[in-house]
Amino acid sequence: STYGNFGNLVIEPAKGETMRGSIRWVGDAFLVIVKRADGRECLRRYSWTSRGDFDEVYVASKGGSIGSFDGWPGSSAVALVHRLANAMVAEVIVVDEAGQRSVARDGRVEYAPPSVGCLVNDIPGTNGRRQLVCRFGGHDVASGVGAKLFADDAADAPQRLADGPTSGLVHGLFVLDRDATRWERVDIQTPDFQRVDVAARSYGPPIRDMCVNAERTGVVVTGREESGVGEALYEVEFSVSGDRSTGMISRIGFDPGEQGAVAPVAAVRLADVLFVKRSPDSWGDLHAVKSSSFPDDRLTYTMPLALAAKLRAPDQVKLDDGCHALVYWPTTEIGGDDDDDDTMGTDNNAVTVRPLVWGHGGPLCSHALEPAPLFQWLADLGHVVVVPHFPGSVGFGLAHMDAVCGDGCGKKDFESVCAAGTWCLKEDGLRPPEGISVDRSRGVGYAGHSWGGYLGLLAATRAESPFSCVVASAGIADWNVQQKCTEVRYYDRWLMGGWVYEEAVRPRVARANPEPVVR
């Protein structure tokens, strides 16, 4: 909407301007992103006392955008994320009485967009300094604090923006130390010492995965074990005794039988947390929990019961190549009476299914434990659907995502989906529930959309493919056409490791392109 009404304060942006996203109240003012008539995004502060007057806190570079933002109560200081145009790069910017300065760079925005939170400056042991917490996709540790801002002019070559930073990147939750000289990583682990990945990228609707508590003494973040996709909330509190550079970490408990994709909405220090949870039979409902020692209460029910009854939670497995996969079985475990369906009515009256591997899009995406009507529909048509998180998928570490870049493009990911197909054909691979049997006599099928469609074209034209049939939707058929016509050239350049016309890249393009004839 281009018109906001905040109680007795009415804000009407100028002609050609639009407000984007949600507002953030800080003291007697609120912050909001506005897209101006000239196309530039800016962060504005509207004051309640000045009756609609505003000041522009920060203006994004041409083609750039503003992501997460927050402010420190009692001051005019603001922290924000500035993503540069045509790049997988963002900066964390602090704007205060001293001016604008970059305090960090993120070189893997596609893994997880940076998210910032401002804590109060009177936490004991912090020397009265402001505290800043940030969840990075890939923190460029080498850039340090106070790095020079990226230039916004023609001299700042697009190639440099597309490339760097590319090495020495660290994913995770960080806090700027009390002397504002370096970022300290907050190492979150499970009780059995598995490292928790604090990215929650999935196919579901975009929801916040970090929030500051009401007292601004800590944050609540979404995390998942790197061995799976089950998510949980973790509270990191910096006001308690101990090492305040990393905080006290506690896992917020859930009903263990109802795992899903979770995102915090609001929190009170060491007490209540309000959050949204999506699960295989829930579109996304509001839940509340009374600290980490109590089970959560579900406050809303949005999915019709008739639809929820048609969905079931997938199995989580590790394939032979070490990749994680979700496996969807039919909801019906007793054979039907449809004589025309050759997958039904076997001697033991079991449901018989045939294996199908599904390749997700992206490739920098992942699936969580969330509603998947397409996969369940395919399963109920007589398939067991295996969805591998092949190299390039997010949520399993930066190295797993980066493996699909350059020489790995169309190679590491394709090898992984082939490994998934071979695993489906093994007698000791798929383990069906009681009442279901797997028919491997006609081989294994493959289907995918977008990047999954590209892998499908490779599967249909490569001799090493284990698949007996392929359905490929909206896939890349020619990398030369893809880089020429795409609207996200930096993204495709990163995947291919250069431009298709570069001498060093041409052999890679020839290898990555699907064959012109289906075998």
Side-chain angles (χ1 to χ4, degrees), residues 219-302:
V219 296
V220 176
V221 296
T222 301
R224 62 163 62 167
E225 301 174 11
E226 290 189 349
S227 60
V229 295
E231 295 176 4
L233 293 179
Y234 293 85
E235 183 178 25
V236 184
E237 177 57 48
F238 296 94
S239 66
V240 296
S241 59
D243 184 0
R244 296 182 182 87
S245 66
T246 56
M248 182 187 77
I249 302 169
S250 57
R251 186 180 187 275
I252 297 173
F254 301 112
D255 179 349
E258 292 291 334
Q259 278 195 318
V262 294
V265 175
V268 177
R269 175 179 175 266
L270 301 175
D272 301 354
V273 176
L274 197 65
F275 62 96
V276 173
K277 177 161 67 174
R278 298 192 305 271
S279 60
D281 61 355
S282 168
W283 278 326
D285 287 296
L286 203 58
H287 292 244
V289 64
K290 302 277 188 181
S291 82
S292 60
S293 58
F294 292 89
D296 58 301
D297 295 323
R298 186 173 178 176
L299 306 179
T300 63
Y301 293 81
T302 56

Side-chain angles (χ1 to χ4, degrees), residues 247-485:
M248 182 187 77
I249 302 169
S250 57
R251 186 180 187 275
I252 297 173
F254 301 112
D255 179 349
E258 292 291 334
Q259 278 195 318
V262 294
V265 175
V268 177
R269 175 179 175 266
L270 301 175
D272 301 354
V273 176
L274 197 65
F275 62 96
V276 173
K277 177 161 67 174
R278 298 192 305 271
S279 60
D281 61 355
S282 168
W283 278 326
D285 287 296
L286 203 58
H287 292 244
V289 64
K290 302 277 188 181
S291 82
S292 60
S293 58
F294 292 89
D296 58 301
D297 295 323
R298 186 173 178 176
L299 306 179
T300 63
Y301 293 81
T302 56
M303 179 176 283
L305 295 179
L307 177 58
K310 297 178 181 179
L311 303 173
R312 68 182 294 169
D315 294 338
Q316 297 190 63
V317 299
K318 180 177 283 190
L319 303 177
D320 290 342
D321 65 346
C323 288
H324 173 273
L326 298 173
V327 180
Y328 291 83
W329 298 96
T331 53
T332 303
E333 297 186 0
I334 302 298
D337 54 6
D338 185 355
D339 295 335
D340 294 331
D341 189 343
D342 64 359
T343 66
M344 302 293 183
T346 56
D347 292 341
N348 59 2
N349 202 34
V351 174
T352 302
V353 296
R354 299 189 180 102
L356 173 69
V357 174
W358 179 274
H360 66 71
L364 312 187
C365 294
S366 69
H367 287 280
L369 297 177
E370 55 195 353
L374 172 61
F375 301 148
Q376 197 62 65
W377 175 70
L378 288 170
D380 288 341
L381 286 178
H383 302 283
V384 50
V385 183
V386 178
V387 185
H389 284 119
F390 48 77
S393 305
V394 301
F396 300 89
L398 287 179
H400 189 71
M401 185 188 87
D402 288 353
V404 79
C405 171
D407 288 333
C409 183
K411 183 176 186 298
K412 295 293 186 180
D413 43 358
F414 178 59
E415 291 173 349
S416 185
V417 296
C418 287
T422 302
W423 179 82
C424 289
L425 295 172
K426 293 171 54 178
E427 289 294 332
D428 60 347
L430 290 163
R431 305 195 176 199
E434 184 178 354
I436 298 179
S437 63
V438 180
D439 177 15
R440 300 179 177 85
S441 64
R442 296 171 65 180
V444 56
Y446 176 90
H449 178 76
S450 188
W451 193 266
Y454 162 60
L455 297 179
L457 293 177
L458 294 177
T461 61
R462 297 288 175 86
E464 62 268 33
S465 168
F467 300 104
S468 54
C469 63
V470 170
V471 177
S473 169
I476 299 172
D478 187 337
W479 273 98
N480 294 285
V481 176
Q482 176 69 14
Q483 279 202 356
K484 179 180 179 180
C485 301

Side-chain angles (χ1 to χ4, degrees), residues 109-143:
V109 177
E110 300 292 347
Y111 188 84
S115 183
V116 296
C118 298
L119 306 185
V120 294
N121 59 4
D122 57 354
I123 295 177
T126 59
N127 295 343
R129 293 181 179 273
R130 303 184 187 114
Q131 300 295 290
L132 179 60
V133 178
C134 184
R135 192 282 312 276
F136 291 99
H139 178 34
D140 179 18
V141 179
S143 68

Side-chain angles (χ1 to χ4, degrees), residues 143-156:
S143 68
V145 177
K148 181 181 180 295
L149 287 168
F150 277 105
D152 180 25
D153 54 40
D156 203 2

Side-chain angles (χ1 to χ4, degrees), residues 188-203:
I188 303 177
Q189 295 183 341
T190 64
D192 58 350
F193 303 107
Q194 286 193 60
R195 173 160 283 175
V196 171
D197 190 295
V198 290
R201 293 286 299 277
S202 69
Y203 272 88

